[in-house]
Structure formats: structure tokens, C-alpha cells
Amino acid sequence: MIKEFLMRQMLKRQLKDMPQDQQEQLIEMVTKNPDFFQKIALEIQEKTNGGMDQMAATMAVMKNHQSELQGLMKKDK
């Protein structure tokens, strides 16, 4: 319970420039699937530790998980 609250607060700070409805959709996706998003974060970190730019690493990992992400977005609607 507390962990979820703290995660929501952290995400809100990170996404402060994003429209409110998109913020909520993304926060819901992350809180419902924390293991999946942890996996993505670790993959991005591995690529950046290997010398890849963070944006390029993020785009590469997101592209690899595109179908899973699209499925999660459809579930939340």
C-alpha cells in the first residue's frame, strides 16, 4: 500500500509536464504491472551501462516490447 503510494508520487513528479489524463493512464499501467516495467528499466540500464545513449536505449527497449506495451494500453482503456 505504502509502496504503491510512493511509486505514484514519484511517477507524478517525473511526468509533471505530461497532460493529466496521460499521466493517470501511465501511472495505472505501471502500478498494475510493476514487474514488467522493472524489466524494461533494467534492460535500459544495461544498454546505458554498455555505452548507449539513454534516449537511444529507451527507444530500443520500447521497440522490443512494443506489442506488450500496446496490449497494456488497450487493457487500460
Side-chain angles (χ1 to χ4, degrees), residues 16-48:
K16 65 184 175 201
D17 296 328
M18 186 181 280
Q20 185 69 31
D21 60 328
Q22 291 177 0
Q23 274 184 29
E24 287 300 318
Q25 181 183 15
L26 189 56
I27 289 170
E28 287 299 315
M29 284 173 43
V30 172
T31 55
K32 288 180 180 177
N33 305 285
D35 294 334
F36 174 69
F37 286 95
Q38 179 69 32
K39 176 182 167 186
I40 287 176
L42 291 173
E43 288 181 29
I44 292 169
Q45 186 175 15
E46 286 177 15
K47 289 186 181 293
T48 55

Side-chain angles (χ1 to χ4, degrees), residues 1 3 15 18 33 43 52-53 58 65 72-74:
M1 195 87 156
K3 183 178 177 181
L15 304 172
M18 186 181 280
N33 305 285
E43 288 181 29
M52 189 180 259
D53 174 72
T58 302
H65 294 285
L72 291 174
M73 291 176 76
K74 287 179 183 177

